[in-house]
Amino acid sequence: MALVVNKKLKMEAGTITTQLGHATQGCHRVIRAMATGAASLASWDQKGSWRTIVKGKNAAHLVALET
């Protein structure tokens, strides 16, 4: 799972951590609702449930990272 933080929002570290937790829960809900979601989550869990956090400079940078 890769999560990107928009640094232009200038959030405090605690706020960023909270938002990343919410994002992770949201991803779980969406994936679980997919037809292959349970298998995907099981595979992710077996591989250590890795999350990668990266910085995005601004909204344009976030769009560039997505493509």
Side-chain angles (χ1 to χ4, degrees):
M1 181 180 298
L3 302 161
V4 184
V5 177
N6 185 346
K7 293 302 284 182
K8 190 165 184 173
L9 298 177
K10 299 183 185 198
M11 291 186 283
E12 298 287 329
T15 303
I16 291 171
T17 302
T18 300
Q19 294 305 315
L20 291 171
H22 291 312
T24 301
Q25 287 179 327
C27 287
H28 270 266
R29 277 193 298 273
V30 169
I31 293 168
R32 214 175 304 126
M34 297 168 63
T36 59
S40 296
L41 288 174
S43 174
W44 182 64
D45 284 339
Q46 290 172 352
K47 294 175 183 167
S49 305
W50 283 88
R51 286 169 298 283
T52 301
I53 315 301
V54 296
K55 284 192 278 187
K57 297 174 189 172
N58 53 38
H61 188 211
L62 300 180
V63 171
L65 289 172
E66 185 177 26
T67 57

